[in-house]
Amino acid sequence: MSTEQISEWTTWTRAARLGELVYSEPCPPGYSLVKGSHNFKKPKGLFMTPFVTSLAKPYLKYMTTSLVHYGHPRGLIALIVVSLERALRAFEDGGEYSDPGQFNTEYKALFMEYLESVDNFTKWDAFYMACNFTQSRACDVSEVGGIAADISQVDIGRRALNFSSSPVKDSD
């Protein structure tokens, strides 16, 4: 691609809420993302793109080995989307690469905003299928406290260890 094409693509992609980076069927150029406008076209396939799924696949496998199920990988998806936006920003200045700088507090704020969007995402089964991922059943985080165990002093204090009464070593 020429730098002009890259510039046009990055401008359109930013205007289309990350366009084909995060939507398998983004809003085409010339259409509006604003509901109620005469040329509104709703994008489809949120997070079902090769950009998102190829970045998520290597990390989803860790969900299968977890002893506790903490829910869907919300943080992972939010981090991927922030990273894609950051990569896009690296080329928005006329299509030439410009170092976007460190992953700093500005990106932390973006992460928190994307995390809110991911919290509203409901098509996890379709996302897992797009990633060729089968989720195994781990113990739900709310079930951890219900695991049967001998009730001993160790069992009672396991979650609230207190070392304040440990003897202090002499400093000889």
Side-chain angles (χ1 to χ4, degrees), residues 71-128:
H72 300 294
R74 301 167 29 254
L76 173 64
I77 302 307
L79 186 59
I80 288 170
V81 177
V82 169
S83 299
L84 291 171
E85 180 174 339
R86 184 172 182 268
L88 187 65
R89 287 180 179 197
F91 290 94
E92 72 183 351
D93 189 21
E96 295 284 337
Y97 175 78
S98 173
D99 185 353
Q102 291 291 317
F103 204 94
N104 58 23
T105 54
E106 175 189 359
Y107 294 106
K108 178 184 175 190
L110 292 176
F111 171 80
M112 297 307 291
E113 289 180 36
Y114 281 125
L115 192 57
E116 285 184 39
S117 292
V118 175
D119 282 344
N120 296 318
F121 183 66
T122 59
K123 300 186 181 199
W124 288 105
D125 290 339
F127 175 75
Y128 294 142

Side-chain angles (χ1 to χ4, degrees), residues 143-162:
E143 298 171 7
V144 172
I147 295 174
D150 282 338
I151 303 300
S152 67
Q153 288 302 311
V154 172
D155 294 326
I156 292 168
R158 190 174 289 124
R159 292 187 181 178
L161 293 178
N162 182 349

